[in-house]
Amino acid sequence: MKSWKGSRGESMKHVLLVGNGFVGKCAAEMFRMNGWRVTTVNRTGMADEHADVGSENSLQKLKNRIEKPTHVVHCASASGGGVETYQQVYLDGCCNLAELFPSIPILFTSSTSVYPQTDGTCVDENSLTVLDRETGKILLEAEAAILKSNGIVARLAGIYGNGRSYLLKKFLSGEASMEEGGERILNHIHQWDAASAIVHLLDRADARGEIYNVCDSSPKSQIETYRELARIFEKPLPPSASRKLNSKRGWSHKAVSNAKLVSTGWRPKYESFTEAAAEVSLTL
């Protein structure tokens, strides 16, 4: 296989990026902009290679036909699936990658949904993550597999960006509602900020074996968010409704802190969801 070299003859960093979706595409572009070689992998759809991260045999075949990566990112999504899909994509996927690429830094994009707090408290990477939901337990097991291999866990908040924002779409269409008084805190991250955090963390040796919350710097309550959106778009506030307690990721009420990630030198371009709302609205 061809040996890839940089402009000065040094070996080029080569990231195997598993999951070429909403965030993965942005991360792949950012890695390339920073001089990395990128091999994107999806089970189906547009990517450089196709493989099933939940199948050790499929990943072994992939490993045999590509140049050895220097880094790996697991940002594949369960795509709304249930417990079995979570098991295959997240836990089996992380275990397979750790087994097949030992000693290679792996970054796994987990979720801030692992924090179950419902009292509006501020949570960081050391906060309680005891969960009753099976899907949450699987995410924590997947994280443990990555940390055991000295990899990096990036817990992403609610992702939005160009062409995607459930909250903003509902608000602009007049279908949105606030849960009771709107006190519940919302935590967000723009797709490009999520991608920049992935590139930033994977390139840092001191990030290995660590967990980082990837979210913007200004979590806002529902009422604060909708008041800002009402001002920006000159629309009325949504009506109140009962709490939505049947979410697959569970109902929570907490402010997620990004202080640990910020302390490494990373900064989000969009400090809050409402700061990006006008721009995102043009793509919906």
Side-chain angles (χ1 to χ4, degrees):
M1 286 179 286
K2 182 177 180 180
S3 176
W4 290 74
K5 301 289 184 179
S7 59
R8 294 185 300 273
E10 72 273 16
S11 295
M12 181 182 284
K13 294 173 184 175
H14 174 203
V15 60
L16 180 67
L17 199 151
V18 181
N20 193 38
F22 191 62
V23 171
K25 284 186 173 69
C26 297
E29 184 173 334
M30 284 193 173
F31 275 119
R32 291 186 179 109
M33 288 170 59
N34 282 274
W36 294 54
R37 183 188 175 204
V38 180
T39 299
T40 57
V41 181
N42 258 3
R43 188 170 61 178
T44 59
M46 295 295 292
D48 301 318
E49 295 281 350
H50 292 149
D52 181 357
V53 72
S55 165
E56 186 176 1
N57 181 56
S58 179
L59 282 182
Q60 181 64 63
K61 290 179 179 177
L62 171 71
K63 181 181 179 181
N64 291 342
R65 67 177 180 261
I66 65 170
E67 183 183 354
K68 183 179 179 180
T70 59
H71 300 74
V72 175
V73 172
H74 179 331
C75 60
S77 169
S79 300
V83 171
E84 183 178 345
T85 306
Y86 266 62
Q87 172 79 29
Q88 293 172 347
V89 174
Y90 298 131
L91 181 53
D92 293 348
C94 285
C95 290
N96 290 338
L97 289 171
E99 176 71 23
L100 290 171
F101 299 99
S103 76
I104 292 176
I106 302 173
L107 183 146
F108 169 54
T109 57
S110 184
S111 168
T112 58
S113 66
V114 299
Y115 300 114
Q117 289 76 1
T118 59
D119 58 358
T121 190
C122 181
V123 300
D124 62 20
E125 291 80 359
N126 296 314
S127 296
L128 186 72
T129 56
V130 176
L131 298 165
D132 294 328
R133 292 172 293 106
E134 201 61 36
T135 52
K137 292 177 181 178
I138 291 170
L139 278 178
L140 290 174
E141 289 182 63
E143 289 185 1
I146 293 299
L147 294 172
K148 184 178 179 181
S149 71
N150 200 34
I152 304 163
V153 171
R155 290 174 176 166
L156 273 57
I159 306 165
Y160 71 99
N162 293 341
R164 173 173 155 180
S165 173
Y166 177 79
L167 185 154
L168 189 53
K169 274 187 177 180
K170 298 283 278 188
F171 175 78
L172 293 174
S173 68
E175 301 174 73
S177 61
M178 283 187 294
E179 297 178 56
E180 299 172 350
E183 291 87 5
R184 187 167 79 88
I185 297 171
L186 308 176
N187 299 276
H188 288 99
I189 187 69
H190 192 282
Q191 67 182 126
W192 285 101
D193 283 332
S196 73
I198 290 169
V199 176
H200 172 80
L201 288 171
L202 198 59
D203 203 25
R204 295 181 64 91
D206 59 359
R208 295 170 197 171
E210 296 287 338
I211 299 170
Y212 294 88
N213 293 330
V214 180
C215 56
D216 62 33
S217 299
S218 299
K220 296 179 184 290
S221 66
Q222 282 187 323
I223 185 66
E224 289 174 319
T225 300
Y226 283 126
R227 280 174 179 161
E228 274 293 291
L229 294 179
R231 179 189 62 78
I232 293 167
F233 297 103
E234 299 181 339
K235 287 182 173 289
L237 285 173
S240 291
S242 58
R243 292 181 179 181
K244 299 173 183 177
L245 301 175
N246 60 347
S247 168
K248 182 179 297 180
R249 294 191 173 189
W251 188 92
S252 65
H253 171 35
K254 77 268 181 169
V256 180
S257 170
N258 67 5
K260 181 177 178 180
L261 178 56
V262 168
S263 72
T264 68
W266 175 87
R267 294 288 189 283
K269 177 181 178 181
Y270 302 100
E271 295 286 338
S272 70
F273 172 81
T274 53
E275 186 178 308
E279 179 182 315
V280 171
S281 71
L282 299 176
T283 69
L284 299 179

